[in-house]
């Protein structure tokens, strides 16, 4: 199965709608694939979305490729960016503001709801939930560099909420639009805590190495997406041995751990704390851990929050995504425009 980092998707009721990442990033989605997981649940919206003939094909074969719908392409891109955008000051890829992404996803979700009613029944979040999340995450401040566009989308969102008999959110969106009327575009900066690697030590180093962070194991927007940002070593002291880990390029705080592995099996774990130079932590090793460190070269390190059964990304996966994002010259979302403006560059 293709990893979701490569195939932006919308989890519809009874199916998945997939796009090619390169098409979305260049703004030229030509086709989309509808894959059915529950034909009975999908049937109510399927014909409205793809037409009778393609609907029959999908019901018979379980999938169908059809011309891309811009409303769905927009939402798929935003959902992908919320999870997989490879923010990396090291690579020249600025971070995207989550409040703006949630807000744009709220607007995009309303367009999909209007396109094919029922398609998003059971979706991960409603337009109201996405708007509330954006507002709670600081949407007003995040939107200031793009105040005019945000006001327009707020008015559009307010009208949609009103049509859904949701006066609370209709008023909230309209109020945000009013607040933005007096805002002059400004600029904001994103901070990066760049690690400098472990400090030197006079104690004996039994093993050491570098590792890369698997994007699938960490929440979005936490660590620099570049490779080889993790430095680890096992150090002998007079009475024991300890594992020392540093992760450079912290974009935000999170509860992270690092697990030392032998032939892929973890044998020691370190809780990582965010400091002025990135995440770092140490842990004492037991005798078995020391023996592994001194007798085997098959040592590794995994950083993250997700369990070992997560569908991980490979270095090739990450390199391909970074290449696509860096090659994209026109910002496709408000969040990208703000990030590019903050970085004083276009990409």
């Amino acid at each position: 199965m293709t990893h979701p980092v490569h195939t932006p998707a919308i989890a519809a009721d009874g199916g998945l709608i997939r796009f090619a990442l390169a098409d979305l990033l260049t703004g030229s989605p030509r086709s989309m694939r509808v894959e059915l997981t529950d034909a009975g649940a999908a049937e109510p919206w399927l014909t409205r979305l793809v037409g009778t003939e393609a609907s029959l094909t999908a019901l018979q074969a379980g999938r169908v490729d059809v011309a891309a719908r811009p409303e769905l392409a927009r939402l798929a891109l935003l959902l992908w960016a919320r999870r997989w955008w490879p923010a990396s000051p090291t690579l020249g890829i600025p971070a995207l503001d989550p409040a703006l992404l949630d807000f744009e996803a709220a607007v995009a979700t309303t367009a999909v709801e209007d396109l094919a009613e029922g398609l998003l029944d059971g979706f991960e979040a409603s337009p109201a939930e996405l708007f509330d999340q954006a507002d709670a995450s600081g949407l007003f401040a995040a939107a200031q560099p793009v105040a005019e566009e945000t006001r327009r989308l707020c008015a559009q969102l307010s009208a949609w909420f009103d049509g859904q008999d949701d006066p609370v959110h209709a008023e909230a969106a309209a109020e945000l639009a009013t607040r933005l009327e007096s805002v002059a575009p400004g600029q904001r900066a994103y901070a990066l805590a760049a690690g400098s690697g472990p400090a030197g030590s006079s104690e004996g180093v039994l093993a050491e190495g570098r590792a890369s962070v698997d994007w699938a194991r960490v929440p979005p927007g936490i660590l620099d997406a570049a490779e080889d940002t993790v430095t680890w070593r096992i150090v002998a002291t007079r009475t024991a041995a300890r594992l020392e880990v540093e992760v450079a390029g912290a974009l935000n705080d999170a509860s992270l751990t690092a697990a030392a592995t032998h032939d892929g099996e973890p044998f020691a774990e370190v809780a990582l704390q965010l400091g002025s130079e990135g995440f770092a932590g140490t842990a004492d090793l037991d005798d078995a851990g020391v023996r592994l460190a001194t007798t085997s070269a098959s040592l590794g390190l995994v950083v993250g929050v997700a369990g070992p059964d997560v569908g991980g990304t490979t270095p090739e996966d990450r390199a391909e995504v970074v290449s696509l994002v860096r090659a994209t010259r026109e910002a496709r979302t408000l969040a990208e425009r703000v990030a590019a403006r903050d970085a004083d560059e276009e990409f």
Side-chain angles (χ1 to χ4, degrees):
M1 177 179 175
T2 302
H3 196 283
V5 74
H6 297 300
T7 54
I10 297 172
D13 190 30
L16 287 172
I17 302 173
R18 298 185 184 275
F19 294 83
L21 177 59
D23 290 349
L24 294 187
L25 289 175
T26 57
S28 58
R30 297 178 293 274
S31 66
M32 62 186 189
R33 170 165 290 188
V34 180
E35 299 175 356
L36 301 185
T37 56
D38 184 337
E43 194 169 5
W45 54 262
L46 185 60
T47 301
R48 290 196 294 273
L49 180 66
V50 303
T52 303
E53 184 177 346
S55 177
L56 289 173
T57 299
L59 291 172
Q60 293 171 358
R63 64 182 183 276
V64 66
D65 293 322
V66 295
R69 297 298 297 261
E71 300 91 341
L72 289 164
R74 179 74 174 174
L75 180 57
L77 174 61
L78 289 163
L79 296 177
W80 178 87
R82 289 169 78 227
R83 177 60 185 95
W84 299 110
W85 182 262
S88 173
T90 302
L91 301 174
I93 302 174
L96 304 185
D97 194 292
L100 281 174
L101 288 175
D102 285 341
F103 172 68
E104 291 183 88
V107 177
T109 302
T110 66
V112 173
E113 292 274 18
D114 292 340
L115 175 67
E117 184 180 356
L119 188 150
L120 295 180
D121 287 354
F123 186 58
E124 61 184 80
S126 68
E129 290 168 334
L130 288 165
F131 178 77
D132 287 343
Q133 188 168 309
D135 195 32
S137 299
L139 176 59
F140 176 72
Q144 292 183 16
V146 284
E148 183 177 349
E149 295 91 332
T150 306
R151 284 199 304 270
R152 176 179 57 80
L153 293 176
C154 277
Q156 178 181 325
L157 198 55
S158 178
W160 189 87
F161 283 135
D162 190 54
Q164 299 293 312
D165 295 323
D166 186 349
V168 173
H169 286 96
E171 183 178 345
E175 180 184 359
L176 180 59
T178 300
R179 292 173 62 199
L180 287 168
E181 287 180 357
S182 60
V183 170
Q187 291 188 346
R188 297 170 297 115
Y190 292 91
L192 167 69
S196 57
S201 171
S202 59
E203 296 167 319
V205 176
L206 303 179
E208 61 184 342
R210 299 190 72 89
S212 297
V213 175
D214 182 346
W215 298 351
R217 296 183 184 275
V218 296
I222 300 300
L223 295 171
D224 191 312
E227 298 291 298
D228 295 327
T229 57
V230 183
T231 306
W232 63 269
R233 61 182 182 176
I234 297 174
V235 177
T237 68
R238 293 178 181 176
T239 58
R242 66 174 181 267
L243 172 63
E244 300 177 347
V245 181
E246 292 194 3
V247 186
L251 302 173
N252 211 334
D253 198 3
S255 297
L256 297 181
T257 60
T261 65
H262 170 255
D263 290 333
E265 295 296 324
F267 67 87
E269 190 172 278
V270 180
L272 302 177
Q273 304 295 325
L274 180 61
S276 60
E277 295 188 339
F279 286 91
T282 65
D284 291 336
L285 296 179
D286 58 20
D287 292 341
V290 174
R291 285 195 297 273
L292 289 175
T294 56
T295 61
S296 174
S298 301
L299 297 175
L301 194 92
V302 176
V303 172
V305 297
D309 57 344
V310 68
T313 59
T314 66
E316 293 75 20
D317 288 331
R318 299 189 291 268
E320 181 179 345
V321 171
V322 167
S323 177
L324 287 172
V325 170
R326 295 182 74 183
T328 302
R329 296 303 176 202
E330 182 178 347
R332 298 293 163 190
T333 67
L334 290 181
E336 288 176 75
R337 288 179 53 193
V338 171
R341 189 174 305 183
D342 285 345
D344 194 28
E345 63 180 12
E346 296 180 357
F347 59 97

